[in-house]
Amino acid sequence: MKKFKRNPSEPPSLPIESNKSKGIVRDGNFFEAVYRIVRMIPKGRVSSYGAIAEFAGTRLSARMVGWAMNAAGAANPPVPAHRVVNRNGMLTGKHHFPTPSAMEDMLRAEGIEVIEDRIVRFRELFWNPSDELNKK
DNA sequence: TTGTTGACCGAGT
DNA sequence: AACTCGGCCAACA
């Protein structure tokens, strides 16, 4: 009934070592993969949780990208989490920054217009990780 | 241990 | 057009 579970022809998601009991995939591949991708987002551009999740190989795990961003504050080198928004260009994660306006301020500082928690001209500013592969 | 909740997303109703 | 639901999976109660 539900038609799109996991496409068997696609790679079986990340080599995440899901050691749930011992926990902490944060030190494993998933968080690192996400951070790596997010760090690729050029200044002045933005991407979405879903696009990042897909590129990381876990298409249906966009929510985990948000979770990764939640922990990204302590990451080193830094992760530009403010460049990640949802598929509509809305700043859904702004409340997780140190101050309520931090995310918006950082985007503005990079030349991105934000109106009512939404990125203006999101379509043009959207950056898909796979663009990097195509252009080379 | 089981259950619920997300910085999500696409399909169905 | 608004709403619900299922899927992912880590954290937390």
Side-chain angles (χ1 to χ4, degrees):
Chain A
M1 241 313 2
K2 230 14 320 243
K3 83 293 291 347
F4 87 109
K5 295 186 126 188
R6 183 196 294 280
N7 185 345
S9 63
E10 280 179 25
S13 83
L14 269 198
I16 306 174
E17 327 197 2
S18 312
N19 269 341
K20 315 191 164 169
S21 37
K22 316 199 147 174
I24 325 290
V25 170
R26 183 172 309 156
D27 297 310
N29 295 303
F30 181 76
F31 277 57
E32 283 308 318
V34 170
Y35 292 168
R36 231 177 8 249
I37 296 167
V38 174
R39 286 195 273 254
M40 288 167 57
I41 305 175
K43 187 175 170 187
R45 304 289 298 279
V46 293
S47 193
S48 74
Y49 304 99
I52 291 163
E54 179 165 14
F55 192 73
T58 63
R59 183 167 74 95
L60 302 177
S61 302
R63 309 181 81 166
M64 296 319 301
V65 174
W67 200 251
M69 292 302 98
N70 195 43
N76 194 306
V79 174
H82 60 284
R83 295 179 193 148
V84 185
V85 298
N86 78 358
R87 61 159 172 186
N88 303 125
M90 307 205 53
L91 279 53
T92 47
K94 67 178 276 188
H95 298 305
H96 297 268
F97 284 79
T99 73
S101 65
M103 185 176 189
E104 190 173 330
D105 293 341
M106 288 165 114
L107 289 171
R108 285 231 175 81
E110 297 181 355
I112 297 175
E113 267 185 281
V114 178
I115 295 178
E116 309 223 327
D117 293 343
R118 182 147 181 268
I119 291 186
V120 181
R121 300 170 70 73
F122 175 59
R123 285 282 293 275
E124 292 94 54
L125 296 177
F126 178 76
W127 178 85
N128 192 301
S130 58
D131 291 350
E132 194 68 19
L133 303 181
N134 294 336
K135 86 177 182 189
K136 286 194 177 156

